[in-house]
Amino acid sequence: MVRIKRILVLFLVMLLTFSLVACSGSSQTGSKNSDSGTKTNANGEVDTSKEVTITMMVLGDKPTNGQLEKVMEQVNTKLKEKVNAKLQLKWIEWADYMTKYNLTLASGEPVDLIITATDWLDAWGNAQKGAFMDITDLLPKYAPKTFEEVSKESWEETKYDGKIVMIPEDSYTQWVNHGFFYRTDWAKEFGITEPIKDFETLGKYFQGIKDNKKGVIPWDTPGTNVTTAWGYTTSYSDAIELPITTGVFPIYWAESYEDKYTVMSPVFEDVFVDYAKMMKDWADKGYWRSDVLNYKGDTRALFQAGKTGADQHHTETFSGLRPQMDLKQPGSEIDMFAWSDTRDNLVSMSITHGATAVGAHSKNPERALMVYDLIRNDEEIYKLFNYGIEGVQYEIVDGKRVRPEGYDETKDAFSANFWGGRVDKFEIPSADKWEGMSEIYAQYDTIKKPYPYGQFVFDSTPVEAELSALSQVTAQLVPAIAFGKAGDPEKAVKDFRKRLEAAGYEKVQKEIQKQMNEYKKLVEGN
Amino acid sequence: MENSARRNIDFSTIMVRLIGYGFIGLFALCCLLPFVLILSSSLTSERAIMESGFSLWPKEFSTFAYEIVFKNPRLVIGSYMVTMIITVVGTAVGLFIVAMTGYALQRQDFLYRNKISFYIYFTTLFSGGLVPFYLLITQYLHLKDNYLAVLLPGLLSPFLIIMMKAFVKSIPHEITESAKMDGAGDFTIFLRIILPMTTPALATIGLFIALGYWNEWYNSMLFLSPNMEYRPLQLFLYNVITSADFIRNSAASANVTPQDIPLESMKMATAIVATGPVILFYPFVQKYFIQGITVGAVKG
């Protein structure tokens, strides 16, 4: 009996020590004060006598090489001197980031600044749930420069329920419109001397590879990439995509930019039948693997190894890929066939593709905005925070950013992944970016149309069930159609339409149209 | 006479053995080959994989994938330590609690056993979902960035309790009763009589718990933020791959030309790093495992 008691006691002691060890390892984050540390005195001046720590939620993997700490130390020295605050980053890693992002926001943990986005980080959904603070009245006072700089129209696009809930990244040029990258050296061999501007010519290029390049698959893609469905629709009709997700392919589009409030679906138009026919034809000719639907290869790496003739992604990717390809496949001089090349159907990106919000449970929203204002508008802090330390992470040669001599990626790499308010005026172009990009941007500028749905927040509650049913149908049928694996194309599209209707296509369309009409009143009424 | 008999026996046994060993050998090969493929791919240069796919023997030998995984040996070793400590402590504590629960729940003189059994079983049918679970751990127990957040949820699993209960049922209730007659307390009975009689079951359940902790990454991902220096091995390896994936696909990758990150061979190398120790450890517990699985069928 005594022995048993002893064993039990020992066991409990072990448990306790372990829990103590584990507990002491946890770090305390966030400031403990419940009242805000930023007061305004009688003259309306901001009083920052109390030092506070501002937390910022960013997406990405925390650099573990110590550079982050070094850079943040310099950033914090400047922040302390200017607004008496310290900035601390909270990282959400890429592994299952969406779940973690939404959980962290739902849990009510106090975070001051949050990187968000309406198109890939569910910003509206989180605004609906009350995760973001209303900063309409705080902005002019605590982030005056930002408030000035962002135009009135842009602020309109950040409002939920008439209140500003985030700060847009509206002065930063980036293009995430998709297309195909192809090798002009091969295209010339096959007699294609003009830049490729439509799918027919792309087909010719693929056929050329098939005929002349042994062992090269024209487009060696995994079957999950169904972006060609977007591409064909954009190239051969004037329809523009609506910000409503229905799984792997958006079913609902607007008629055209001129007729932007009419909800339709390209799937029910002839264009989709033509698309299905072309893809069936391409599949039969062997422009991709026959087991494409289960294939999981890395197209970009194969493209760089010269094993495939095309890669599919957006303009920003192209800007970095071009110089890399010039090294890996000298003379390849890759070019991009963007979907918009066919008939100039190009809509700008939403300015809330990157944004920063203030957490609803922030203890120091005023000081958080002051810190944000500095990151965005103080050139020194901006460069530190985005690029790192001059001489360690970068040097400027002829106005371009290059890596210093002896730079080692593993030891010296730094990133703070600040995608919620970069501005062109402080950006130093990277030497790794292809020089010809400015021409491409200029060409886009001549045809681009402003993004029309910035303030459109779709309330999906009445049609939640139908939307998830539609997502299931697209997941089942779109990949098969996109890679010509669905038998007779006309029959496949008919079947696809039938199943969409069964899943509640019309009910959802009516609901979107109803909300679109409201939205039209809101926009046109202004 | 004797000779022919022996030959007969010989012939039939040889046939049986030939077929038996042949079949088992083939089956073992089916299990072994994928592993050999993983091992050889992890030691192949990325270029060779790109150009000619995976093979059972490295076409171009390269240890580059391992160099990237072990780029920071301190972190790998730290992750190993964390995973091992969590696995050892979690398995010891978890096994003890599961065994106690399982034993108590099948004691016929325990009044509320059916109600409590149902209460435990019920959680396998209905769960609160992810958000309440997250809130419980972070807001009520305040276990964010604390190894306990990974340790506690894995201690008890309804499935294992039900399994233990079934095992203990095979021990006649009379044993407990006669021990009680002799003046033993409940704890004495449990520790001195029941536990020694259920070793195969304990080994099986222990292995399940241990494997669960060893492979655990989801809770670590949710509750252990990058602010912690050492995090469980599986999460560490998962991050190695996702960040490589990201660097590869981001236009911002300066100077790291994407092909310098051997993604395919790296996936294989991480698989080897993650399973290696388990493979070394398994032969030692295998006999208990087999016993444990068969114990329900034959009452020995």
Side-chain angles (χ1 to χ4, degrees):
Chain A
M1 207 56 225
V2 175
R3 237 184 80 208
I4 289 161
K5 274 215 176 92
R6 248 196 227 143
I7 291 170
L8 275 179
V9 167
L10 195 76
F11 187 71
L12 282 172
V13 168
M14 264 168 61
L15 253 184
L16 277 172
T17 28
F18 177 76
S19 60
L20 277 176
V21 169
C23 289
S24 60
S26 76
S27 59
Q28 287 290 352
T29 51
S31 48
K32 277 265 172 283
N33 57 324
S34 51
D35 62 318
S36 158
T38 314
K39 301 266 191 308
T40 327
N41 64 13
N43 316 342
E45 283 168 1
V46 184
D47 165 31
T48 55
S49 56
K50 190 170 167 195
E51 190 193 9
V52 295
T53 301
I54 298 298
T55 51
M56 183 179 204
M57 211 160 108
V58 291
L59 274 286
D61 292 310
K62 182 182 177 183
T64 49
N65 55 8
Q67 290 296 337
L68 175 75
E69 287 72 15
K70 284 182 193 155
V71 176
M72 287 313 284
E73 198 182 326
Q74 295 206 18
V75 169
N76 281 331
T77 315
K78 291 192 164 43
L79 288 177
K80 174 136 183 72
E81 172 187 316
K82 290 186 157 108
V83 291
N84 197 14
K86 224 173 98 190
L87 183 64
Q88 196 181 41
L89 301 183
K90 280 179 114 162
W91 297 82
I92 303 279
E93 289 158 318
W94 290 122
D96 208 356
Y97 67 92
M98 201 69 223
T99 312
K100 216 169 162 181
Y101 183 82
N102 284 335
L103 273 178
T104 313
L105 291 179
S107 72
E109 288 168 40
V111 198
D112 298 308
L113 294 167
I114 300 155
I115 300 281
T116 189
T118 51
D119 48 5
W120 64 279
L121 280 173
D122 200 18
W124 292 131
N126 280 302
Q128 263 165 339
K129 290 181 198 125
F132 303 148
M133 192 180 279
D134 164 17
I135 47 177
T136 322
D137 303 333
L138 296 176
L139 275 168
K141 189 159 183 181
Y142 298 104
K145 283 194 179 132
T146 307
F147 188 69
E148 281 297 306
E149 194 186 65
V150 177
S151 68
K152 200 171 164 310
E153 295 74 44
S154 298
W155 281 125
E156 284 302 319
E157 296 192 14
T158 62
K159 284 182 178 176
Y160 178 73
D161 244 358
K163 301 176 186 77
I164 297 175
V165 289
M166 58 189 127
I167 305 164
E169 189 175 60
D170 65 332
S171 330
Y172 177 72
T173 308
Q174 58 172 344
W175 280 98
V176 290
N177 57 323
H178 280 249
F180 268 104
F181 316 144
Y182 63 95
R183 303 177 58 149
T184 52
D185 58 340
W186 287 3
K188 286 201 182 83
E189 273 179 55
F190 317 143
I192 304 168
T193 48
E194 289 294 301
I196 295 178
K197 285 194 179 303
D198 53 44
F199 275 78
E200 276 87 5
T201 321
L202 186 70
K204 280 197 197 107
Y205 170 75
F206 284 164
Q207 192 56 49
I209 293 175
K210 202 78 206 154
D211 299 338
N212 305 300
K213 301 279 170 195
K214 235 182 107 51
V216 177
I217 294 172
W219 181 39
D220 197 7
T221 175
T224 45
N225 182 355
V226 296
T227 322
T228 47
W230 267 268
Y232 199 90
T233 310
T234 310
S235 282
Y236 294 98
S237 81
D238 289 324
I240 52 177
E241 191 191 338
L242 291 174
I244 290 151
T245 343
T246 50
V248 297
F249 178 68
I251 301 291
Y252 298 99
W253 293 53
E255 201 66 60
S256 68
Y257 188 76
E258 288 63 43
D259 193 1
K260 57 175 95 64
Y261 303 115
T262 309
V263 181
M264 51 77 79
S265 175
V267 179
F268 288 80
E269 305 287 323
D270 291 338
V271 72
F272 207 79
V273 180
D274 300 342
Y275 166 69
K277 281 182 185 159
M278 184 183 254
M279 292 305 120
K280 176 82 173 81
D281 179 45
W282 284 12
D284 294 343
K285 287 178 177 158
Y287 293 173
W288 43 73
R289 283 170 192 256
S290 51
D291 64 344
V292 60
L293 293 178
N294 325 319
Y295 176 63
K296 300 240 181 317
D298 185 337
T299 312
R300 192 145 313 138
L302 291 160
F303 187 49
Q304 292 184 314
K307 304 294 287 180
T308 184
D311 180 21
Q312 189 288 313
H313 212 249
H314 58 60
T315 308
E316 287 307 310
T317 307
F318 176 75
S319 73
L321 192 64
R322 168 73 201 246
Q324 283 175 4
M325 277 298 275
D326 287 343
L327 288 175
K328 297 243 161 124
Q329 298 286 338
S332 63
E333 302 201 346
I334 57 165
D335 195 4
M336 176 173 177
F337 151 51
W339 313 141
S340 56
D341 288 346
T342 317
R343 55 197 302 158
D344 295 353
N345 185 358
L346 179 66
V347 174
S348 300
M349 208 173 52
S350 159
I351 56 166
T352 46
H353 175 71
T356 305
V358 175
H361 302 276
S362 163
K363 297 208 169 56
N364 294 296
E366 304 87 353
R367 204 77 65 89
L369 284 171
M370 291 165 93
V371 168
Y372 178 86
D373 211 30
L374 285 171
I375 295 175
R376 184 169 170 140
N377 299 296
D378 181 301
E379 191 163 1
E380 273 189 332
I381 297 179
Y382 183 94
K383 283 181 180 162
L384 271 174
F385 200 59
N386 284 293
Y387 303 137
I389 300 163
E390 192 165 354
V392 181
Q393 271 81 25
Y394 71 101
E395 277 171 355
I396 301 178
V397 179
D398 308 331
K400 287 211 160 144
R401 238 175 344 120
V402 293
R403 295 299 188 192
E405 198 63 43
Y407 173 87
D408 172 5
E409 184 70 24
T410 47
K411 288 198 192 67
D412 303 323
F414 157 83
S415 64
N417 296 3
F418 177 65
W419 305 316
R422 286 165 297 178
V423 286
D424 284 342
K425 64 179 182 202
F426 294 147
E427 284 288 318
I428 319 165
S430 158
D432 298 326
K433 202 168 169 174
W434 186 49
E435 304 206 333
M437 286 319 288
S438 47
E439 287 165 45
I440 293 183
Y441 289 152
Q443 194 256 323
Y444 286 160
D445 282 343
T446 57
I447 58 169
K448 72 173 179 197
K449 306 172 182 85
Y451 183 71
Y453 306 112
Q455 288 166 268
F456 180 65
V457 185
F458 181 63
D459 175 13
S460 58
T461 3
V463 288
E464 208 68 75
E466 286 79 6
L467 279 177
S468 86
L470 287 171
S471 299
Q472 271 172 3
V473 176
T474 55
Q476 280 163 358
L477 296 177
V478 174
I481 292 173
F483 290 104
K485 299 282 174 200
D488 174 45
E490 291 197 39
K491 226 174 103 227
V493 175
K494 272 205 188 86
D495 177 44
F496 184 32
R497 290 171 182 172
K498 242 202 327 269
R499 292 183 55 182
L500 286 176
E501 276 164 347
Y505 166 80
E506 279 193 21
K507 185 180 166 189
V508 180
Q509 190 198 8
K510 283 203 180 81
E511 184 61 36
I512 301 173
Q513 190 61 64
K514 194 178 98 191
Q515 296 190 30
M516 201 43 99
N517 295 343
E518 296 285 316
Y519 177 63
K520 185 179 176 178
K521 276 188 213 137
L522 173 86
V523 177
E524 313 271 298
N526 277 353
Chain B
M1 188 73 201
E2 234 177 82
N3 263 349
S4 68
R6 194 186 296 162
R7 227 195 348 258
N8 268 348
I9 294 166
D10 271 356
F11 180 71
S12 61
T13 10
I14 285 170
M15 277 315 285
V16 167
R17 279 182 189 175
L18 260 181
I19 293 168
Y21 279 123
F23 184 76
I24 289 171
L26 271 178
F27 192 79
L29 213 59
C30 288
C31 297
L32 190 70
L33 281 180
F35 198 77
V36 174
L37 187 76
I38 291 177
L39 188 62
S40 107
S41 311
S42 72
L43 290 166
T44 311
S45 74
E46 188 74 359
R47 208 168 54 96
I49 292 181
M50 277 293 153
E51 282 170 11
S52 44
F54 301 112
S55 57
L56 284 174
W57 192 252
K59 281 201 176 57
E60 249 182 63
F61 188 81
S62 148
T63 54
F64 192 49
Y66 287 97
E67 279 163 36
I68 290 210
V69 175
F70 286 99
K71 188 172 70 183
N72 209 333
R74 192 178 51 89
L75 284 179
V76 185
I77 292 164
S79 308
Y80 255 116
M81 290 307 292
V82 168
T83 295
M84 278 180 190
I85 292 171
I86 286 181
T87 306
V88 169
V89 174
T91 310
V93 178
L95 195 54
F96 192 73
I97 299 178
V98 167
M100 279 204 294
T101 319
Y103 170 63
L105 284 178
Q106 63 80 51
R107 278 277 293 262
Q108 284 158 29
D109 49 357
F110 175 36
L111 195 57
Y112 299 106
R113 69 175 188 276
N114 287 339
K115 290 192 179 66
I116 292 181
S117 293
F118 177 74
Y119 175 77
I120 289 172
Y121 175 64
F122 186 78
T123 58
T124 59
L125 303 174
F126 298 96
S127 71
L130 190 56
V131 174
F133 175 58
Y134 186 83
L135 287 178
L136 174 73
I137 301 274
T138 57
Q139 303 300 300
Y140 293 91
L141 302 176
H142 299 290
L143 290 179
K144 204 165 162 51
D145 284 6
N146 183 331
Y147 294 125
L148 282 177
V150 179
L151 190 83
L152 293 178
L155 286 179
L156 272 176
S157 105
F159 171 71
L160 296 180
I161 291 172
I162 290 164
M163 205 164 138
M164 183 73 198
K165 213 172 111 179
F167 271 123
V168 185
K169 260 212 170 81
S170 65
I171 298 168
H173 186 61
E174 288 73 25
I175 293 183
T176 304
E177 292 205 315
S178 66
K180 260 206 151 51
M181 291 284 189
D182 295 339
D186 282 330
F187 247 109
T188 316
I189 296 171
F190 175 66
L191 287 174
R192 303 277 289 274
I193 297 171
I194 303 295
L195 281 190
M197 287 177 87
T198 51
T199 35
L202 292 178
T204 315
I205 290 173
L207 192 79
F208 275 127
I209 299 178
L211 275 182
Y213 277 120
W214 186 265
N215 291 328
E216 144 60 43
W217 70 276
Y218 195 74
N219 287 346
S220 328
M221 178 207 81
L222 289 180
F223 303 119
L224 308 181
S225 80
N227 294 332
M228 300 183 77
E229 184 146 30
Y230 302 119
R231 295 187 293 163
L233 179 76
Q234 309 292 348
L235 180 63
F236 171 81
L237 294 174
Y238 195 96
N239 280 332
V240 168
I241 288 186
T242 45
S243 59
D245 223 354
F246 177 74
I247 290 174
R248 218 184 166 137
N249 292 322
S250 74
S253 59
N255 275 21
V256 181
T257 33
Q259 252 185 306
D260 299 347
I261 297 173
L263 199 60
E264 294 303 326
S265 49
M266 221 171 76
K267 282 178 188 161
M268 301 300 180
T270 50
I272 294 285
V273 171
T275 50
V278 178
I279 288 172
L280 294 177
F281 168 74
Y282 188 75
F284 299 105
V285 291
Q286 188 196 15
K287 60 171 196 237
Y288 295 108
F289 197 57
I290 292 168
Q291 243 181 337
I293 283 179
T294 52
V295 82
V298 187
K299 240 165 85 173

